[in-house]
Amino acid sequence: MRSLVTAFRACRSRSFTVLALESSADDTCAAVVTSSRQILSNIVVKQLRLHEVFGGIHPTVAIEAHQRNMPGAVRRALDHANLTMQDIDGVAFTRGPGIGGCLSVGSNAAKTLAAALNKPLVGVHHMQAHALTPLLTTPIDQLPEFPFLTLLISGGHTLLLLATSKTEFRMLATTADESIGRSFDKVARLLGLDWGTKGLGATLEEFCRKDIADLPDVGPFSVPMPGKLAFSYSCLHSSIERYIASAKTPLTESHKVALARAFQDAAARQLCAKLVLGLKQLSMKDIKPKHVVVSGGVASNSFLRARLREALDEYSPDEKVGLVFPPPELCTDNAAMIGWASMHRFLMGDYDDYTIDLRAKWDIREIPNLKGCLQNSNTSIGK
């Protein structure tokens, strides 16, 4: 049986192909990605309807669904890529952060496949994968350059980071309470919106686009902690809750639309204010990132995208700051980003042991900094 080192050397003359698994929350994902920036398959099995009755992710239900769905997701990923496991050079999985039991399903599947077939294994930080997705999806001549600012906005995180390499992230701001994605979900529930096919956050965004004349006036909600690099979305959703509770009569649909728009506007203004504040503070230290990368499930919101672009143009009208997003389908959880975030380690021959443990809580600043991992390279690795 040839060793992993021999196998690694044999594939250096061609693209390195990774089978990646993701199961950190309520999406069961498998994908095949190559070092030449090809996504050969990207399977996402959602559990929205299973959790709607609980008003959020029920861990036990999510774990059982992952256990049912993961074998089929892996089979479909290989079929869509027109490959077999013999064609796979390495197996990657989400090591953390996430729901421990959910993570264990993807971890156990990845470790078992890799060990049984003598394939190298790499565990990936979920938020690092979100941050690096644009290095996979953006055209070569438009790739973000290190150091760049990355805004990671999802149901579990609201982070503003300075990425100086693929493995080094400096924390500029995080949420003091709840994430922006969670506040979107809670406000959507307060307004009585349906989960739809993409979840409560996407439903709220669509609800805001309703064409209703003569909307009632709902005053703007303030941005918390002005001048401070910290997010707080709990206070925003609480303001909406108090507004609804104080209403003397049930809200009409037009009143709900006005309130949803006021909430979305306030959520966007907070993101913009903290992003610009971060850029100003970095500029005072003579650090001037040329790009801002926005990833995570909430990054698919088109209203937020437009407002962030406006804020950056107002901040730097003469020297445009690039704003980079993954495609909407790769903003939410997926395994393609996991495969790509593992790629530099596979190409270095830096693998994890088959006994590697999970990290349900894992600070992105604790990712090992690997020397020589093409940290400042913006070229297509392995091409």
Side-chain angles (χ1 to χ4, degrees):
M1 182 182 296
R2 66 181 185 175
S3 68
L4 293 181
V5 174
T6 304
F8 168 71
R9 288 171 179 167
C11 70
R12 286 306 298 255
S13 60
R14 57 180 174 81
S15 291
F16 194 97
T17 303
V18 173
L19 170 68
L21 309 183
E22 148 65 23
S23 63
S24 62
D26 61 338
D27 291 338
T28 309
C29 311
V32 177
V33 180
T34 76
S35 57
S36 54
R37 302 174 81 237
Q38 293 177 299
I39 301 175
L40 301 183
S41 63
N42 187 39
I43 304 301
V44 179
V45 183
K46 293 190 173 293
Q47 304 177 12
L48 288 174
R49 291 304 178 190
L50 297 177
H51 300 286
E52 185 172 7
V53 65
F54 301 104
I57 300 175
H58 189 293
T60 301
V61 172
I63 293 166
E64 292 174 349
H66 284 312
Q67 291 170 337
R68 288 194 305 272
N69 295 331
M70 186 59 76
V74 171
R75 181 69 267 160
R76 289 169 59 194
L78 291 169
D79 288 346
H80 286 203
N82 197 27
L83 298 175
T84 68
M85 279 303 299
Q86 284 65 44
D87 301 310
I88 298 299
D89 299 311
V91 180
F93 70 99
T94 303
R95 186 184 177 194
I99 301 170
C102 294
L103 288 166
S104 70
V105 178
S107 169
N108 289 340
K111 289 192 287 188
T112 300
L113 280 170
L117 298 170
N118 197 33
K119 305 289 185 180
L121 178 77
V122 168
V124 173
H125 191 291
H126 183 86
M127 300 313 293
Q128 176 196 25
H130 274 304
L132 299 182
T133 301
L135 299 181
L136 169 65
T137 60
T138 308
I140 290 290
D141 60 348
Q142 300 173 32
L143 285 177
E145 301 176 16
F146 291 109
F148 59 77
L149 269 184
T150 180
L151 190 60
L152 301 180
I153 47 178
S154 67
H157 299 83
T158 307
L159 301 172
L160 181 62
L161 307 167
L162 180 67
T164 57
S165 75
K166 294 183 177 73
T167 58
E168 290 182 298
F169 298 88
R170 173 183 162 192
M171 183 80 70
L172 299 184
T174 185
T175 177
D177 35 65
E178 74 184 27
S179 69
I180 181 173
R182 189 160 295 150
S183 71
F184 264 82
D185 290 349
K186 288 183 176 180
V187 170
R189 281 196 290 270
L190 288 172
L191 296 174
L193 303 183
D194 183 72
W195 276 51
T197 60
K198 296 181 179 179
L200 287 168
T203 298
L204 189 143
E205 180 189 4
E206 185 176 351
F207 187 69
C208 288
R209 289 197 285 261
K210 273 184 172 285
D211 187 13
I212 299 179
D214 301 321
L215 289 177
D217 183 30
V218 176
F221 296 96
S222 61
V223 173
M225 299 178 288
K228 183 177 180 181
L229 261 181
F231 297 99
S232 174
Y233 280 95
S234 177
C235 64
L236 176 56
H237 118 249
S238 295
S239 296
I240 302 295
E241 191 171 25
R242 288 193 298 270
Y243 186 98
I244 294 173
S246 66
K248 300 187 184 304
T249 59
L251 298 183
T252 63
E253 183 176 47
S254 62
H255 207 153
K256 287 183 178 180
V257 171
L259 193 55
R261 289 183 182 179
F263 162 77
Q264 186 171 238
D265 176 73
R269 280 189 287 110
Q270 184 176 167
L271 280 184
C272 294
K274 306 302 183 180
L275 174 60
V276 169
L277 181 59
L279 285 167
K280 288 180 178 178
Q281 290 194 8
L282 287 174
S283 180
M284 292 172 61
K285 299 176 182 178
D286 203 29
I287 302 173
K288 298 180 180 180
K290 296 181 180 179
H291 296 90
V292 173
V293 167
V294 188
S295 304
V298 184
S300 60
N301 185 300
S302 58
F303 178 83
L304 295 182
R305 289 183 175 215
R307 293 295 297 274
L308 287 168
R309 181 68 270 168
E310 292 171 2
L312 288 176
D313 288 344
E314 183 177 346
Y315 165 72
S316 181
D318 299 325
E319 192 171 346
K320 188 169 183 176
V321 178
L323 184 60
V324 185
F325 298 90
E329 66 273 13
L330 293 181
C331 287
T332 53
D333 290 351
N334 64 88
M337 70 178 190
I338 302 300
W340 182 249
S342 72
M343 198 65 70
H344 67 275
R345 288 190 57 195
F346 279 120
L347 294 182
M348 286 180 62
D350 176 64
Y351 313 139
D352 290 318
D353 191 86
Y354 297 143
T355 61
I356 185 174
D357 60 351
L358 299 174
R359 298 196 63 175
K361 295 186 182 298
W362 189 5
D363 193 315
I364 195 170
R365 293 168 294 184
E366 296 174 357
I367 298 172
N369 180 23
L370 305 173
K371 294 182 179 180
C373 68
L374 305 179
Q375 292 182 9
N376 295 305
S377 171
N378 290 310
T379 59
S380 173
I381 60 176
K383 188 173 180 180

